[in-house]
């Protein structure tokens, strides 16, 4: 499946916009949630410095109104060197990373991008968890900054 609608192509109202600062490393993140055409768009930018190396992370996640990930793009620039990854989850639950099938991720409904708490909203909203509730979920975990993906 290819998602062709993106908030930058067709501006839509922002439902939620937040910024937060990490405490474990020097990092600041800006996050927005938008909705259009029956899809939710989570976008964010992280600026960080780790061991004096600058990092810039940009991500976009597209999910249905059911909060199930359909597609995601993650860009990382580490010390001026860019890297990119594209993840797609089919309606059948099959994952592709940069166009290559990943059967090891089968069963993962959610996506978790390592450096942001924003993607934690996916299972919380999908499962309608109340404060204090918890559930185990399988997620395609995108490691930052190396952009490897594991279950």
């Amino acid at each position: 499946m290819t998602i062709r609608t993106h908030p930058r192509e067709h501006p839509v109202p922002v439902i939620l916009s937040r910024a937060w600062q990490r405490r474990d490393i020097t990092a600041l993140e800006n996050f927005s949630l938008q909705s259009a055409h029956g899809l939710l768009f989570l976008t964010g930018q992280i600026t960080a410095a780790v061991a004096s190396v600058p990092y810039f992370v940009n991500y976009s996640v597209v999910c249905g109104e059911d909060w199930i990930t359909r597609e995601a793009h993650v860009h990382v620039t580490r010390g001026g060197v860019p890297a990119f990854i594209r993840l797609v989850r089919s309606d059948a639950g099959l994952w592709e990373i940069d166009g290559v099938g990943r059967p090891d991720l089968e069963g993962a409904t959610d996506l978790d991008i390592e450096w942001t708490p924003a993607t934690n909203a996916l299972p919380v909203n999908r499962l309608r968890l109340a404060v204090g509730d918890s559930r185990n979920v399988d997620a395609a975990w995108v490691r930052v900054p190396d952009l490897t993906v594991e279950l």
Side-chain angles (χ1 to χ4, degrees):
M1 165 188 359
T2 300
I3 305 294
R4 298 199 187 281
T5 304
H6 191 279
R8 291 186 185 120
E9 295 170 3
H10 306 283
V12 295
V14 172
I15 297 171
L16 177 70
S17 181
R18 296 287 186 266
W20 51 80
Q21 183 175 352
R22 287 188 53 172
R23 295 175 189 234
D24 58 333
I25 62 172
T26 302
L28 182 64
E29 180 171 356
N30 178 43
F31 165 80
S32 292
L33 172 65
Q34 296 172 281
S35 176
H37 312 291
L39 298 171
L40 298 168
F41 301 91
L42 292 80
T43 57
Q45 303 81 37
I46 303 167
T47 302
V50 179
S52 299
V53 176
Y55 290 83
F56 301 98
V57 179
N58 291 289
Y59 61 87
S60 63
V61 179
V62 179
C63 37
E65 291 178 326
D66 56 4
W67 293 90
I68 293 176
T69 301
R70 306 290 192 257
E71 185 171 338
H73 301 252
V74 184
H75 301 257
V76 173
T77 302
R78 175 182 6 191
V81 179
F84 171 81
I85 190 170
R86 177 176 179 250
L87 302 94
V88 176
R89 183 184 177 278
S90 73
D91 290 338
L94 304 174
W95 288 84
E96 287 185 0
I97 310 295
D98 294 331
V100 177
R102 288 287 302 268
D104 59 310
L105 299 175
E106 188 174 333
T109 303
D110 301 301
L111 172 77
D112 188 3
I113 301 171
E114 184 175 23
W115 277 14
T116 178
T119 49
N120 296 336
L122 301 172
V124 169
N125 283 284
R126 180 175 56 79
L127 298 170
R128 300 175 193 250
L129 296 177
V131 174
D133 287 352
S134 66
R135 283 249 196 87
N136 290 328
V137 297
D138 287 328
W141 188 28
V142 179
R143 303 297 305 262
V144 175
D146 58 351
L147 297 180
T148 58
V149 182
E150 57 192 70
L151 187 61

